[in-house]
Amino acid sequence: VIIPLLRAHPRAAYCRDDKGFIPLHLAVGSTNSPCDETIAALLAVYPDATRVVDRRGFTPIVDYDKDVVPEIYKLIQFKEWGSAVERAGLFPSECATWVIRREKRAAEATAATKGSAGGNGSGILDARAAVRWRLLPLHATIIFKAPFRVVEA
């Protein structure tokens, strides 16, 4: 249903509801895991939607390579468990922020592997590139083997 609606009225992806949410906020904020196809369709029409902040200061998706990653995610990644628990209590909206990482463009990724593209191996990221992974901080706590007290927070 989403794709035909977006084809008929693509500007709808830009419209806020009465609570200040755009459709992407609602898609990733759902109690169900968001559908990859829905997110891809919304981002295809409105690629900058990942940077739109709602009334609470919530950004629906953060690109790991392009945006400022929520502090709680970094604390979990670096296994600073005590600080992560404290941060979860102080900034609960960060716990609901999806962090994504996209695939590198194929040609650039190949060049990076061969040591070109500036020699840093980073390649070039494209907003239309496939999402390699998408995690909430809760997912990251499990991946980084956080103690239960962190997962519980």
Side-chain angles (χ1 to χ4, degrees), residues 9-91:
H9 183 44
R11 296 291 302 164
Y14 293 74
C15 296
R16 293 178 182 267
D17 68 8
D18 61 325
K19 294 182 176 64
F21 298 123
I22 60 172
L24 185 63
H25 287 119
L26 299 173
V28 301
S30 166
T31 55
N32 299 321
S33 185
C35 171
D36 288 340
E37 291 81 17
T38 298
I39 292 171
L42 290 167
L43 290 174
V45 174
Y46 187 11
D48 290 332
T50 60
R51 294 187 175 92
V52 175
V53 177
D54 70 14
R55 290 182 185 169
R56 300 169 301 164
F58 174 68
T59 305
I61 300 176
V62 173
D63 189 316
Y64 184 86
D65 294 303
K66 292 172 38 177
D67 300 321
V68 176
V69 175
E71 186 65 26
I72 190 156
Y73 188 87
K74 291 187 277 185
L75 293 169
I76 293 165
Q77 183 178 10
F78 295 113
K79 300 183 178 187
E80 295 180 18
W81 308 129
S83 297
V85 169
E86 183 179 341
R87 184 85 185 178
L90 293 172
F91 301 96

Side-chain angles (χ1 to χ4, degrees), residues 127-139:
R128 296 163 300 187
V131 173
R132 194 162 99 200
W133 53 257
R134 181 182 71 224
L135 305 171
L136 284 169
L138 177 61
H139 298 118

